[in-house]
Amino acid sequence: MASRFLIVARPRSRTSWLATFLNTSGVTCQHDLIDQCSGPEAYCRALSHFPGASGAADTAAVLFLDRILAEMPDCQLIVIDRPRA
């Protein structure tokens, strides 16, 4: 079974850097995938498309987090917090 993950964070939390780092390490990690999807259901289908350990680092996904996790209850959620200042 493939392992799916979702990384959510506030803007400017270096999610783009993190996605690049994970991709160079052999883990498929999309960045801001939600921008390319018509809604949470399309987002979950897109996440399921990639083989193996894969996921996304998205700041906007937090707006649909409850719906995404309802569609993908086995998805591992990672939250990145940073100082607000």
Side-chain angles (χ1 to χ4, degrees), residues 26-73:
V27 174
T28 303
C29 183
Q30 302 297 311
H31 182 254
D32 287 343
L33 179 64
I34 198 123
D35 293 345
Q36 303 169 30
C37 298
S38 60
E41 293 79 17
Y43 185 78
C44 293
R45 283 192 304 274
L47 277 179
S48 298
H49 175 73
F50 301 101
S54 60
D58 267 305
T59 53
V62 73
L63 300 173
F64 306 103
L65 193 54
D66 57 338
R67 293 173 62 192
I68 292 169
L69 294 177
E71 290 276 329
M72 301 176 68

